[in-house]
Amino acid sequence: MRISKTLKRIKKAIKFLLFILIFIISITFIIKLSAIKNQSENKPLNITTEESLINEIKSTSKIIPLEVELSKFITIDKSWGSLEVFQKYKRIKFYANCSFYIDLSKLKKEDISLDESNLTITVSNPQIFTIDIIREKTTYEDSTNGFLRFGEITLTSEEFEEIQEEVYKSFEETLNEKDIYDQAIYNSKISLTNLFKQIIGDDININILFK
């Protein structure tokens, strides 16, 4: 009989402890749930409009979607006529650091279309930004002389300036070739998409158009 009464007391004590434990867990859960709800209600709304988006984009001013180093041979020909014995020419290899940019400072409201799920933005085509000839990398080959020609070809400072102008134009033409320009367009889309995602988040589909 005494054992039976003791077991009953133990069972009652266990039930009481379980009740207290469940009560504490419930109160803790309710408090946490209430805190989360309050945080959600007090969180400021992130509202993006065309105007605010333009201001954010203009603060970036421009992006550089493509940087590339190019090289090009130029031949200086001081031959006398077409006979091989009178030939005299020299090759110079020029290098240049080149880049494209997209100007975002002139973006207007009509260039942007924004709704709940899509952003369509029209920007200017990428333009050549820099063609910086790397003078310290310029290499000069020895003159190639015909049987009746002698010595090295020397250039005056005026001649060298004229050559550099031609080299600049040649690099410019290379940058406008389809392969390089298509790469500039492709990189521009990636760079702009990443920029806009930082501003409006990942939930909106972004379309980039060029004009």
Side-chain angles (χ1 to χ4, degrees):
M1 291 294 292
R2 288 181 181 177
I3 294 174
S4 178
K5 287 182 180 180
T6 302
L7 288 174
K8 286 181 180 180
R9 288 176 183 173
I10 291 172
K11 287 180 180 180
K12 286 182 180 180
I14 291 173
K15 286 181 180 180
F16 179 74
L17 290 174
L18 286 173
F19 174 78
I20 295 297
L21 182 61
I22 292 170
F23 178 77
I24 292 171
I25 292 173
S26 299
I27 292 298
T28 303
F29 177 77
I30 291 170
I31 292 171
K32 287 185 176 180
L33 188 62
S34 177
I36 293 171
K37 184 179 179 181
N38 288 335
Q39 287 178 0
S40 177
E41 289 176 350
N42 293 330
K43 186 178 180 181
L45 292 174
N46 184 16
I47 299 174
T48 302
T49 63
E50 285 87 348
E51 290 85 353
S52 64
L53 190 55
I54 286 174
N55 292 333
E56 288 280 353
I57 294 169
K58 281 187 174 181
S59 67
T60 304
S61 181
K62 64 175 174 283
I63 62 168
I64 308 294
L66 180 63
E67 295 177 298
V68 61
E69 182 180 296
L70 299 179
S71 64
K72 192 171 290 290
F73 272 109
I74 298 294
T75 301
I76 312 301
D77 193 343
K78 293 196 174 185
S79 301
W80 296 342
S82 57
L83 293 177
E84 187 176 344
V85 293
F86 294 120
Q87 284 184 349
K88 188 181 182 77
Y89 61 88
K90 182 187 191 76
R91 295 205 312 166
I92 305 175
K93 191 173 186 180
F94 290 90
Y95 295 82
N97 288 323
C98 308
S99 64
F100 286 86
Y101 84 109
I102 292 180
D103 186 3
L104 300 176
S105 63
K106 298 178 181 179
L107 206 64
K108 299 177 181 178
K109 183 179 178 180
E110 53 265 30
D111 295 325
I112 294 177
S113 174
L114 177 65
D115 58 35
E116 292 181 356
S117 57
N118 293 283
L119 167 67
T120 300
I121 184 162
T122 304
V123 297
S124 300
N125 284 320
Q127 303 293 319
I128 295 172
F129 184 48
T130 57
I131 301 177
D132 294 329
I133 295 175
I134 312 169
R135 296 201 174 194
E136 60 270 20
K137 291 189 71 173
T138 304
T139 57
Y140 303 84
E141 294 184 356
D142 293 335
S143 295
T144 299
N145 298 332
F147 183 70
L148 297 178
R149 300 297 303 276
F150 308 97
E152 281 291 319
I153 293 176
T154 57
L155 299 171
T156 65
S157 58
E158 290 79 9
E159 287 175 325
F160 191 76
E161 287 298 324
E162 288 180 12
I163 291 169
Q164 284 207 126
E165 288 179 10
E166 291 301 316
V167 170
Y168 187 95
K169 291 178 183 177
S170 182
F171 280 129
E172 193 172 33
E173 291 172 359
T174 300
L175 289 170
N176 284 316
E177 290 177 359
K178 188 177 187 305
D179 288 347
I180 293 181
Y181 197 75
D182 284 352
Q183 187 64 49
I185 290 287
Y186 176 78
N187 287 9
S188 297
K189 288 183 177 181
I190 293 175
S191 298
L192 289 168
T193 299
N194 290 337
L195 171 64
F196 299 146
K197 281 185 176 181
Q198 291 177 8
I199 299 172
I200 61 176
D202 297 326
D203 298 332
I204 292 182
N205 182 46
I206 298 172
N207 303 300
I208 308 297
L209 302 178
F210 295 93
K211 58 180 178 181

